[in-house]
PDB file of all heavy atoms in Angstrom:
ATOM      1  N   ASP A   6    -162.785  34.379 158.390  1.00  0.00           N
ATOM      2  CA  ASP A   6    -162.153  35.457 159.161  1.00  0.00           C
ATOM      3  C   ASP A   6    -160.804  34.933 159.666  1.00  0.00           C
ATOM      4  O   ASP A   6    -160.693  34.397 160.775  1.00  0.00           O
ATOM      5  CB  ASP A   6    -163.056  35.850 160.322  1.00  0.00           C
ATOM      6  CG  ASP A   6    -162.557  37.092 161.052  1.00  0.00           C
ATOM      7  OD1 ASP A   6    -161.383  37.469 160.856  1.00  0.00           O
ATOM      8  OD2 ASP A   6    -163.334  37.690 161.814  1.00  0.00           O
ATOM      9  N   ILE A   7    -159.777  35.108 158.846  1.00  0.00           N
ATOM     10  CA  ILE A   7    -158.465  34.540 159.155  1.00  0.00           C
ATOM     11  C   ILE A   7    -157.878  35.167 160.418  1.00  0.00           C
ATOM     12  O   ILE A   7    -157.249  34.490 161.238  1.00  0.00           O
ATOM     13  CB  ILE A   7    -157.515  34.725 157.957  1.00  0.00           C
ATOM     14  CG1 ILE A   7    -158.048  33.941 156.747  1.00  0.00           C
ATOM     15  CG2 ILE A   7    -156.108  34.253 158.307  1.00  0.00           C
ATOM     16  CD1 ILE A   7    -157.200  34.102 155.498  1.00  0.00           C
ATOM     17  N   GLY A   8    -158.065  36.488 160.593  1.00  0.00           N
ATOM     18  CA  GLY A   8    -157.520  37.167 161.761  1.00  0.00           C
ATOM     19  C   GLY A   8    -158.067  36.600 163.061  1.00  0.00           C
ATOM     20  O   GLY A   8    -157.319  36.321 164.005  1.00  0.00           O
ATOM     21  N   ARG A   9    -159.363  36.424 163.102  1.00  0.00           N
ATOM     22  CA  ARG A   9    -159.981  35.873 164.307  1.00  0.00           C
ATOM     23  C   ARG A   9    -159.572  34.417 164.507  1.00  0.00           C
ATOM     24  O   ARG A   9    -159.368  33.972 165.644  1.00  0.00           O
ATOM     25  CB  ARG A   9    -161.492  35.989 164.206  1.00  0.00           C
ATOM     26  CG  ARG A   9    -162.225  35.550 165.463  1.00  0.00           C
ATOM     27  CD  ARG A   9    -163.726  35.706 165.297  1.00  0.00           C
ATOM     28  NE  ARG A   9    -164.439  35.139 166.426  1.00  0.00           N
ATOM     29  CZ  ARG A   9    -165.758  35.042 166.478  1.00  0.00           C
ATOM     30  NH1 ARG A   9    -166.496  35.481 165.464  1.00  0.00           N
ATOM     31  NH2 ARG A   9    -166.339  34.516 167.540  1.00  0.00           N
ATOM     32  N   ALA A  10    -159.462  33.684 163.416  1.00  0.00           N
ATOM     33  CA  ALA A  10    -159.047  32.288 163.517  1.00  0.00           C
ATOM     34  C   ALA A  10    -157.635  32.191 164.088  1.00  0.00           C
ATOM     35  O   ALA A  10    -157.345  31.349 164.948  1.00  0.00           O
ATOM     36  CB  ALA A  10    -159.112  31.612 162.153  1.00  0.00           C
ATOM     37  N   ARG A  11    -156.742  33.090 163.643  1.00  0.00           N
ATOM     38  CA  ARG A  11    -155.370  33.086 164.169  1.00  0.00           C
ATOM     39  C   ARG A  11    -155.339  33.450 165.648  1.00  0.00           C
ATOM     40  O   ARG A  11    -154.593  32.857 166.432  1.00  0.00           O
ATOM     41  CB  ARG A  11    -154.521  34.059 163.361  1.00  0.00           C
ATOM     42  CG  ARG A  11    -154.166  33.556 161.962  1.00  0.00           C
ATOM     43  CD  ARG A  11    -153.408  34.617 161.192  1.00  0.00           C
ATOM     44  NE  ARG A  11    -153.037  34.127 159.860  1.00  0.00           N
ATOM     45  CZ  ARG A  11    -152.493  34.906 158.918  1.00  0.00           C
ATOM     46  NH1 ARG A  11    -152.272  36.204 159.166  1.00  0.00           N
ATOM     47  NH2 ARG A  11    -152.182  34.379 157.750  1.00  0.00           N
ATOM     48  N   ASP A  12    -156.137  34.430 166.023  1.00  0.00           N
ATOM     49  CA  ASP A  12    -156.182  34.823 167.436  1.00  0.00           C
ATOM     50  C   ASP A  12    -156.662  33.668 168.313  1.00  0.00           C
ATOM     51  O   ASP A  12    -156.153  33.472 169.428  1.00  0.00           O
ATOM     52  CB  ASP A  12    -157.104  36.031 167.617  1.00  0.00           C
ATOM     53  CG  ASP A  12    -156.535  37.292 166.989  1.00  0.00           C
ATOM     54  OD1 ASP A  12    -155.311  37.333 166.758  1.00  0.00           O
ATOM     55  OD2 ASP A  12    -157.325  38.231 166.727  1.00  0.00           O
ATOM     56  N   THR A  13    -157.630  32.935 167.815  1.00  0.00           N
ATOM     57  CA  THR A  13    -158.172  31.819 168.600  1.00  0.00           C
ATOM     58  C   THR A  13    -157.170  30.689 168.739  1.00  0.00           C
ATOM     59  O   THR A  13    -156.965  30.159 169.836  1.00  0.00           O
ATOM     60  CB  THR A  13    -159.463  31.283 167.946  1.00  0.00           C
ATOM     61  OG1 THR A  13    -160.402  32.352 167.803  1.00  0.00           O
ATOM     62  CG2 THR A  13    -160.073  30.191 168.803  1.00  0.00           C
ATOM     63  N   VAL A  14    -156.538  30.324 167.643  1.00  0.00           N
ATOM     64  CA  VAL A  14    -155.601  29.210 167.698  1.00  0.00           C
ATOM     65  C   VAL A  14    -154.318  29.593 168.433  1.00  0.00           C
ATOM     66  O   VAL A  14    -153.591  28.726 168.948  1.00  0.00           O
ATOM     67  CB  VAL A  14    -155.284  28.708 166.272  1.00  0.00           C
ATOM     68  CG1 VAL A  14    -154.243  29.592 165.593  1.00  0.00           C
ATOM     69  CG2 VAL A  14    -154.794  27.251 166.299  1.00  0.00           C
ATOM     70  N   GLU A  15    -154.048  30.896 168.529  1.00  0.00           N
ATOM     71  CA  GLU A  15    -152.841  31.358 169.211  1.00  0.00           C
ATOM     72  C   GLU A  15    -152.883  31.043 170.708  1.00  0.00           C
ATOM     73  O   GLU A  15    -151.844  31.006 171.371  1.00  0.00           O
ATOM     74  CB  GLU A  15    -152.675  32.874 169.007  1.00  0.00           C
ATOM     75  CG  GLU A  15    -151.317  33.416 169.394  1.00  0.00           C
ATOM     76  CD  GLU A  15    -150.191  32.897 168.508  1.00  0.00           C
ATOM     77  OE1 GLU A  15    -150.476  32.504 167.351  1.00  0.00           O
ATOM     78  OE2 GLU A  15    -149.033  32.882 168.976  1.00  0.00           O
ATOM     79  N   VAL A  16    -154.075  30.793 171.220  1.00  0.00           N
ATOM     80  CA  VAL A  16    -154.200  30.425 172.635  1.00  0.00           C
ATOM     81  C   VAL A  16    -153.381  29.181 172.952  1.00  0.00           C
ATOM     82  O   VAL A  16    -152.848  29.025 174.066  1.00  0.00           O
ATOM     83  CB  VAL A  16    -155.685  30.195 172.994  1.00  0.00           C
ATOM     84  CG1 VAL A  16    -155.843  29.670 174.418  1.00  0.00           C
ATOM     85  CG2 VAL A  16    -156.477  31.487 172.815  1.00  0.00           C
ATOM     86  N   PHE A  17    -153.227  28.301 171.973  1.00  0.00           N
ATOM     87  CA  PHE A  17    -152.505  27.053 172.206  1.00  0.00           C
ATOM     88  C   PHE A  17    -151.000  27.261 172.236  1.00  0.00           C
ATOM     89  O   PHE A  17    -150.259  26.304 172.466  1.00  0.00           O
ATOM     90  CB  PHE A  17    -152.875  26.031 171.124  1.00  0.00           C
ATOM     91  CG  PHE A  17    -154.258  25.476 171.286  1.00  0.00           C
ATOM     92  CD1 PHE A  17    -155.358  26.115 170.722  1.00  0.00           C
ATOM     93  CD2 PHE A  17    -154.470  24.323 172.020  1.00  0.00           C
ATOM     94  CE1 PHE A  17    -156.628  25.613 170.878  1.00  0.00           C
ATOM     95  CE2 PHE A  17    -155.746  23.808 172.177  1.00  0.00           C
ATOM     96  CZ  PHE A  17    -156.831  24.457 171.617  1.00  0.00           C
ATOM     97  N   ARG A  18    -150.564  28.491 172.053  1.00  0.00           N
ATOM     98  CA  ARG A  18    -149.139  28.783 172.143  1.00  0.00           C
ATOM     99  C   ARG A  18    -148.632  28.494 173.559  1.00  0.00           C
ATOM    100  O   ARG A  18    -147.470  28.108 173.746  1.00  0.00           O
ATOM    101  CB  ARG A  18    -148.881  30.250 171.792  1.00  0.00           C
ATOM    102  CG  ARG A  18    -147.421  30.654 171.794  1.00  0.00           C
ATOM    103  CD  ARG A  18    -146.689  30.141 170.606  1.00  0.00           C
ATOM    104  NE  ARG A  18    -147.206  30.720 169.364  1.00  0.00           N
ATOM    105  CZ  ARG A  18    -146.787  30.345 168.153  1.00  0.00           C
ATOM    106  NH1 ARG A  18    -145.894  29.368 168.032  1.00  0.00           N
ATOM    107  NH2 ARG A  18    -147.296  30.908 167.077  1.00  0.00           N
ATOM    108  N   ASN A  19    -149.498  28.679 174.545  1.00  0.00           N
ATOM    109  CA  ASN A  19    -149.109  28.468 175.935  1.00  0.00           C
ATOM    110  C   ASN A  19    -149.350  27.038 176.412  1.00  0.00           C
ATOM    111  O   ASN A  19    -149.131  26.744 177.587  1.00  0.00           O
ATOM    112  CB  ASN A  19    -149.883  29.435 176.847  1.00  0.00           C
ATOM    113  CG  ASN A  19    -149.601  30.886 176.513  1.00  0.00           C
ATOM    114  OD1 ASN A  19    -148.481  31.250 176.174  1.00  0.00           O
ATOM    115  ND2 ASN A  19    -150.641  31.728 176.602  1.00  0.00           N
ATOM    116  N   HIS A  20    -149.836  26.178 175.511  1.00  0.00           N
ATOM    117  CA  HIS A  20    -150.085  24.773 175.864  1.00  0.00           C
ATOM    118  C   HIS A  20    -148.975  23.926 175.247  1.00  0.00           C
ATOM    119  O   HIS A  20    -149.064  23.516 174.088  1.00  0.00           O
ATOM    120  CB  HIS A  20    -151.455  24.320 175.352  1.00  0.00           C
ATOM    121  CG  HIS A  20    -152.604  25.026 176.016  1.00  0.00           C
ATOM    122  ND1 HIS A  20    -153.262  24.508 177.101  1.00  0.00           N
ATOM    123  CD2 HIS A  20    -153.194  26.213 175.754  1.00  0.00           C
ATOM    124  CE1 HIS A  20    -154.224  25.341 177.488  1.00  0.00           C
ATOM    125  NE2 HIS A  20    -154.198  26.382 176.676  1.00  0.00           N
ATOM    126  N   SER A  21    -147.933  23.684 176.039  1.00  0.00           N
ATOM    127  CA  SER A  21    -146.770  22.964 175.504  1.00  0.00           C
ATOM    128  C   SER A  21    -147.073  21.518 175.159  1.00  0.00           C
ATOM    129  O   SER A  21    -146.291  20.866 174.460  1.00  0.00           O
ATOM    130  CB  SER A  21    -145.623  23.013 176.519  1.00  0.00           C
ATOM    131  OG  SER A  21    -146.011  22.435 177.753  1.00  0.00           O
ATOM    132  N   GLN A  22    -148.201  20.990 175.650  1.00  0.00           N
ATOM    133  CA  GLN A  22    -148.518  19.592 175.349  1.00  0.00           C
ATOM    134  C   GLN A  22    -148.967  19.397 173.907  1.00  0.00           C
ATOM    135  O   GLN A  22    -149.077  18.273 173.441  1.00  0.00           O
ATOM    136  CB  GLN A  22    -149.587  19.055 176.299  1.00  0.00           C
ATOM    137  CG  GLN A  22    -150.978  19.638 176.140  1.00  0.00           C
ATOM    138  CD  GLN A  22    -151.212  20.814 177.068  1.00  0.00           C
ATOM    139  OE1 GLN A  22    -150.291  21.577 177.351  1.00  0.00           O
ATOM    140  NE2 GLN A  22    -152.429  20.938 177.560  1.00  0.00           N
ATOM    141  N   PHE A  23    -149.235  20.525 173.207  1.00  0.00           N
ATOM    142  CA  PHE A  23    -149.645  20.434 171.807  1.00  0.00           C
ATOM    143  C   PHE A  23    -148.509  20.898 170.900  1.00  0.00           C
ATOM    144  O   PHE A  23    -147.967  21.982 171.076  1.00  0.00           O
ATOM    145  CB  PHE A  23    -150.884  21.281 171.552  1.00  0.00           C
ATOM    146  CG  PHE A  23    -152.110  20.808 172.287  1.00  0.00           C
ATOM    147  CD1 PHE A  23    -152.582  21.497 173.389  1.00  0.00           C
ATOM    148  CD2 PHE A  23    -152.769  19.660 171.887  1.00  0.00           C
ATOM    149  CE1 PHE A  23    -153.691  21.064 174.070  1.00  0.00           C
ATOM    150  CE2 PHE A  23    -153.890  19.218 172.570  1.00  0.00           C
ATOM    151  CZ  PHE A  23    -154.347  19.913 173.670  1.00  0.00           C
ATOM    152  N   GLU A  24    -148.179  20.059 169.931  1.00  0.00           N
ATOM    153  CA  GLU A  24    -147.162  20.423 168.950  1.00  0.00           C
ATOM    154  C   GLU A  24    -147.775  21.166 167.763  1.00  0.00           C
ATOM    155  O   GLU A  24    -147.150  22.078 167.219  1.00  0.00           O
ATOM    156  CB  GLU A  24    -146.444  19.171 168.436  1.00  0.00           C
ATOM    157  CG  GLU A  24    -145.424  18.612 169.396  1.00  0.00           C
ATOM    158  CD  GLU A  24    -144.665  17.443 168.813  1.00  0.00           C
ATOM    159  OE1 GLU A  24    -145.164  16.812 167.860  1.00  0.00           O
ATOM    160  OE2 GLU A  24    -143.566  17.147 169.305  1.00  0.00           O
ATOM    161  N   LEU A  25    -148.967  20.758 167.382  1.00  0.00           N
ATOM    162  CA  LEU A  25    -149.641  21.370 166.244  1.00  0.00           C
ATOM    163  C   LEU A  25    -151.081  21.709 166.619  1.00  0.00           C
ATOM    164  O   LEU A  25    -151.750  20.925 167.295  1.00  0.00           O
ATOM    165  CB  LEU A  25    -149.645  20.419 165.033  1.00  0.00           C
ATOM    166  CG  LEU A  25    -148.309  20.127 164.355  1.00  0.00           C
ATOM    167  CD1 LEU A  25    -148.485  19.041 163.298  1.00  0.00           C
ATOM    168  CD2 LEU A  25    -147.733  21.384 163.730  1.00  0.00           C
ATOM    169  N   ALA A  26    -151.528  22.872 166.187  1.00  0.00           N
ATOM    170  CA  ALA A  26    -152.924  23.273 166.352  1.00  0.00           C
ATOM    171  C   ALA A  26    -153.300  24.083 165.122  1.00  0.00           C
ATOM    172  O   ALA A  26    -152.640  25.083 164.803  1.00  0.00           O
ATOM    173  CB  ALA A  26    -153.118  24.092 167.625  1.00  0.00           C
ATOM    174  N   GLY A  27    -154.323  23.653 164.419  1.00  0.00           N
ATOM    175  CA  GLY A  27    -154.665  24.323 163.169  1.00  0.00           C
ATOM    176  C   GLY A  27    -156.149  24.311 162.872  1.00  0.00           C
ATOM    177  O   GLY A  27    -156.909  23.507 163.428  1.00  0.00           O
ATOM    178  N   ILE A  28    -156.542  25.223 161.985  1.00  0.00           N
ATOM    179  CA  ILE A  28    -157.934  25.344 161.543  1.00  0.00           C
ATOM    180  C   ILE A  28    -157.953  25.249 160.026  1.00  0.00           C
ATOM    181  O   ILE A  28    -157.226  25.993 159.343  1.00  0.00           O
ATOM    182  CB  ILE A  28    -158.541  26.677 161.996  1.00  0.00           C
ATOM    183  CG1 ILE A  28    -158.418  26.835 163.515  1.00  0.00           C
ATOM    184  CG2 ILE A  28    -160.002  26.778 161.574  1.00  0.00           C
ATOM    185  CD1 ILE A  28    -158.747  28.232 163.999  1.00  0.00           C
ATOM    186  N   PHE A  29    -158.769  24.358 159.506  1.00  0.00           N
ATOM    187  CA  PHE A  29    -158.888  24.157 158.065  1.00  0.00           C
ATOM    188  C   PHE A  29    -160.298  24.527 157.624  1.00  0.00           C
ATOM    189  O   PHE A  29    -161.270  24.294 158.351  1.00  0.00           O
ATOM    190  CB  PHE A  29    -158.604  22.701 157.689  1.00  0.00           C
ATOM    191  CG  PHE A  29    -157.196  22.260 157.963  1.00  0.00           C
ATOM    192  CD1 PHE A  29    -156.812  21.853 159.242  1.00  0.00           C
ATOM    193  CD2 PHE A  29    -156.249  22.260 156.953  1.00  0.00           C
ATOM    194  CE1 PHE A  29    -155.513  21.438 159.500  1.00  0.00           C
ATOM    195  CE2 PHE A  29    -154.946  21.844 157.196  1.00  0.00           C
ATOM    196  CZ  PHE A  29    -154.575  21.441 158.481  1.00  0.00           C
ATOM    197  N   ASN A  30    -160.395  25.080 156.413  1.00  0.00           N
ATOM    198  CA  ASN A  30    -161.728  25.388 155.880  1.00  0.00           C
ATOM    199  C   ASN A  30    -162.324  24.141 155.236  1.00  0.00           C
ATOM    200  O   ASN A  30    -161.725  23.057 155.255  1.00  0.00           O
ATOM    201  CB  ASN A  30    -161.662  26.551 154.889  1.00  0.00           C
ATOM    202  CG  ASN A  30    -160.755  26.239 153.691  1.00  0.00           C
ATOM    203  OD1 ASN A  30    -160.467  25.078 153.402  1.00  0.00           O
ATOM    204  ND2 ASN A  30    -160.305  27.278 153.005  1.00  0.00           N
ATOM    205  N   ALA A  31    -163.484  24.287 154.657  1.00  0.00           N
ATOM    206  CA  ALA A  31    -164.191  23.144 154.076  1.00  0.00           C
ATOM    207  C   ALA A  31    -163.438  22.529 152.907  1.00  0.00           C
ATOM    208  O   ALA A  31    -163.623  21.352 152.588  1.00  0.00           O
ATOM    209  CB  ALA A  31    -165.588  23.568 153.638  1.00  0.00           C
ATOM    210  N   GLU A  32    -162.592  23.333 152.239  1.00  0.00           N
ATOM    211  CA  GLU A  32    -161.811  22.823 151.104  1.00  0.00           C
ATOM    212  C   GLU A  32    -160.509  22.168 151.560  1.00  0.00           C
ATOM    213  O   GLU A  32    -159.715  21.725 150.726  1.00  0.00           O
ATOM    214  CB  GLU A  32    -161.488  23.959 150.128  1.00  0.00           C
ATOM    215  CG  GLU A  32    -162.687  24.467 149.339  1.00  0.00           C
ATOM    216  CD  GLU A  32    -163.625  25.292 150.199  1.00  0.00           C
ATOM    217  OE1 GLU A  32    -163.130  25.994 151.123  1.00  0.00           O
ATOM    218  OE2 GLU A  32    -164.854  25.249 149.961  1.00  0.00           O
ATOM    219  N   GLY A  33    -160.259  22.131 152.871  1.00  0.00           N
ATOM    220  CA  GLY A  33    -159.035  21.518 153.381  1.00  0.00           C
ATOM    221  C   GLY A  33    -157.850  22.447 153.411  1.00  0.00           C
ATOM    222  O   GLY A  33    -156.713  21.998 153.634  1.00  0.00           O
ATOM    223  N   GLU A  34    -158.069  23.750 153.184  1.00  0.00           N
ATOM    224  CA  GLU A  34    -156.975  24.721 153.220  1.00  0.00           C
ATOM    225  C   GLU A  34    -156.764  25.211 154.648  1.00  0.00           C
ATOM    226  O   GLU A  34    -157.718  25.435 155.405  1.00  0.00           O
ATOM    227  CB  GLU A  34    -157.295  25.907 152.309  1.00  0.00           C
ATOM    228  CG  GLU A  34    -157.483  25.520 150.846  1.00  0.00           C
ATOM    229  CD  GLU A  34    -158.003  26.697 150.011  1.00  0.00           C
ATOM    230  OE1 GLU A  34    -158.501  27.676 150.631  1.00  0.00           O
ATOM    231  OE2 GLU A  34    -157.930  26.619 148.779  1.00  0.00           O
ATOM    232  N   LEU A  35    -155.496  25.386 155.014  1.00  0.00           N
ATOM    233  CA  LEU A  35    -155.157  25.835 156.358  1.00  0.00           C
ATOM    234  C   LEU A  35    -155.448  27.325 156.500  1.00  0.00           C
ATOM    235  O   LEU A  35    -154.838  28.158 155.828  1.00  0.00           O
ATOM    236  CB  LEU A  35    -153.679  25.554 156.656  1.00  0.00           C
ATOM    237  CG  LEU A  35    -153.180  25.924 158.050  1.00  0.00           C
ATOM    238  CD1 LEU A  35    -153.870  25.069 159.110  1.00  0.00           C
ATOM    239  CD2 LEU A  35    -151.655  25.746 158.132  1.00  0.00           C
ATOM    240  N   LEU A  36    -156.387  27.670 157.388  1.00  0.00           N
ATOM    241  CA  LEU A  36    -156.697  29.077 157.648  1.00  0.00           C
ATOM    242  C   LEU A  36    -155.745  29.672 158.664  1.00  0.00           C
ATOM    243  O   LEU A  36    -155.276  30.805 158.516  1.00  0.00           O
ATOM    244  CB  LEU A  36    -158.142  29.214 158.161  1.00  0.00           C
ATOM    245  CG  LEU A  36    -159.269  28.922 157.182  1.00  0.00           C
ATOM    246  CD1 LEU A  36    -160.613  29.111 157.880  1.00  0.00           C
ATOM    247  CD2 LEU A  36    -159.168  29.839 155.967  1.00  0.00           C
ATOM    248  N   ALA A  37    -155.474  28.938 159.731  1.00  0.00           N
ATOM    249  CA  ALA A  37    -154.599  29.418 160.794  1.00  0.00           C
ATOM    250  C   ALA A  37    -154.007  28.217 161.505  1.00  0.00           C
ATOM    251  O   ALA A  37    -154.674  27.198 161.673  1.00  0.00           O
ATOM    252  CB  ALA A  37    -155.371  30.296 161.780  1.00  0.00           C
ATOM    253  N   GLY A  38    -152.788  28.349 161.914  1.00  0.00           N
ATOM    254  CA  GLY A  38    -152.137  27.251 162.617  1.00  0.00           C
ATOM    255  C   GLY A  38    -150.897  27.711 163.342  1.00  0.00           C
ATOM    256  O   GLY A  38    -150.333  28.769 163.032  1.00  0.00           O
ATOM    257  N   LEU A  39    -150.483  26.927 164.299  1.00  0.00           N
ATOM    258  CA  LEU A  39    -149.242  27.223 165.020  1.00  0.00           C
ATOM    259  C   LEU A  39    -148.514  25.931 165.296  1.00  0.00           C
ATOM    260  O   LEU A  39    -149.103  24.854 165.366  1.00  0.00           O
ATOM    261  CB  LEU A  39    -149.514  27.986 166.321  1.00  0.00           C
ATOM    262  CG  LEU A  39    -150.274  27.304 167.451  1.00  0.00           C
ATOM    263  CD1 LEU A  39    -149.350  26.457 168.324  1.00  0.00           C
ATOM    264  CD2 LEU A  39    -150.931  28.345 168.334  1.00  0.00           C
ATOM    265  N   THR A  40    -147.202  26.069 165.451  1.00  0.00           N
ATOM    266  CA  THR A  40    -146.333  24.941 165.726  1.00  0.00           C
ATOM    267  C   THR A  40    -145.544  25.237 166.978  1.00  0.00           C
ATOM    268  O   THR A  40    -144.819  26.240 167.043  1.00  0.00           O
ATOM    269  CB  THR A  40    -145.365  24.687 164.550  1.00  0.00           C
ATOM    270  OG1 THR A  40    -146.118  24.481 163.355  1.00  0.00           O
ATOM    271  CG2 THR A  40    -144.496  23.471 164.817  1.00  0.00           C
ATOM    272  N   ASN A  41    -145.684  24.385 167.973  1.00  0.00           N
ATOM    273  CA  ASN A  41    -144.944  24.574 169.217  1.00  0.00           C
ATOM    274  C   ASN A  41    -143.629  23.817 169.238  1.00  0.00           C
ATOM    275  O   ASN A  41    -142.825  24.001 170.145  1.00  0.00           O
ATOM    276  CB  ASN A  41    -145.792  24.118 170.419  1.00  0.00           C
ATOM    277  CG  ASN A  41    -146.806  25.175 170.833  1.00  0.00           C
ATOM    278  OD1 ASN A  41    -146.587  26.367 170.616  1.00  0.00           O
ATOM    279  ND2 ASN A  41    -147.911  24.745 171.417  1.00  0.00           N
ATOM    280  N   GLY A  42    -143.405  22.963 168.244  1.00  0.00           N
ATOM    281  CA  GLY A  42    -142.159  22.214 168.187  1.00  0.00           C
ATOM    282  C   GLY A  42    -141.028  23.064 167.649  1.00  0.00           C
ATOM    283  O   GLY A  42    -141.209  24.158 167.117  1.00  0.00           O
ATOM    284  N   SER A  43    -139.816  22.552 167.804  1.00  0.00           N
ATOM    285  CA  SER A  43    -138.651  23.261 167.296  1.00  0.00           C
ATOM    286  C   SER A  43    -138.617  23.174 165.776  1.00  0.00           C
ATOM    287  O   SER A  43    -139.205  22.267 165.179  1.00  0.00           O
ATOM    288  CB  SER A  43    -137.372  22.645 167.876  1.00  0.00           C
ATOM    289  OG  SER A  43    -137.223  21.303 167.444  1.00  0.00           O
ATOM    290  N   PRO A  44    -137.926  24.107 165.106  1.00  0.00           N
ATOM    291  CA  PRO A  44    -137.856  24.066 163.639  1.00  0.00           C
ATOM    292  C   PRO A  44    -137.252  22.772 163.097  1.00  0.00           C
ATOM    293  O   PRO A  44    -137.523  22.384 161.975  1.00  0.00           O
ATOM    294  CB  PRO A  44    -136.974  25.276 163.306  1.00  0.00           C
ATOM    295  CG  PRO A  44    -137.127  26.194 164.482  1.00  0.00           C
ATOM    296  CD  PRO A  44    -137.274  25.291 165.670  1.00  0.00           C
ATOM    297  N   LYS A  45    -136.436  22.120 163.920  1.00  0.00           N
ATOM    298  CA  LYS A  45    -135.773  20.897 163.465  1.00  0.00           C
ATOM    299  C   LYS A  45    -136.611  19.647 163.746  1.00  0.00           C
ATOM    300  O   LYS A  45    -136.166  18.533 163.471  1.00  0.00           O
ATOM    301  CB  LYS A  45    -134.418  20.758 164.165  1.00  0.00           C
ATOM    302  CG  LYS A  45    -133.431  21.871 163.816  1.00  0.00           C
ATOM    303  CD  LYS A  45    -132.107  21.652 164.525  1.00  0.00           C
ATOM    304  CE  LYS A  45    -131.104  22.754 164.180  1.00  0.00           C
ATOM    305  NZ  LYS A  45    -129.799  22.551 164.865  1.00  0.00           N
ATOM    306  N   SER A  46    -137.771  19.825 164.333  1.00  0.00           N
ATOM    307  CA  SER A  46    -138.588  18.661 164.691  1.00  0.00           C
ATOM    308  C   SER A  46    -139.246  18.011 163.485  1.00  0.00           C
ATOM    309  O   SER A  46    -139.714  16.878 163.562  1.00  0.00           O
ATOM    310  CB  SER A  46    -139.658  19.061 165.714  1.00  0.00           C
ATOM    311  OG  SER A  46    -140.493  20.072 165.173  1.00  0.00           O
ATOM    312  N   GLY A  47    -139.300  18.730 162.352  1.00  0.00           N
ATOM    313  CA  GLY A  47    -139.868  18.151 161.133  1.00  0.00           C
ATOM    314  C   GLY A  47    -141.364  17.938 161.185  1.00  0.00           C
ATOM    315  O   GLY A  47    -141.881  17.024 160.544  1.00  0.00           O
ATOM    316  N   LEU A  48    -142.080  18.775 161.927  1.00  0.00           N
ATOM    317  CA  LEU A  48    -143.529  18.628 162.025  1.00  0.00           C
ATOM    318  C   LEU A  48    -144.189  19.021 160.713  1.00  0.00           C
ATOM    319  O   LEU A  48    -143.805  20.003 160.081  1.00  0.00           O
ATOM    320  CB  LEU A  48    -144.070  19.499 163.173  1.00  0.00           C
ATOM    321  CG  LEU A  48    -143.615  19.108 164.580  1.00  0.00           C
ATOM    322  CD1 LEU A  48    -144.112  20.129 165.588  1.00  0.00           C
ATOM    323  CD2 LEU A  48    -144.107  17.716 164.940  1.00  0.00           C
TER     324      LEU A  48
END
């Protein structure tokens, strides 16, 4: 359920102490993720 996974991980948008927060499936594919760093940070 990608939509629900995105909604859940979006909570970390307000946690500036985290640069990356993501959810991977059993095959190692990224289901949902967010980046709090700047585009130039190279995360």
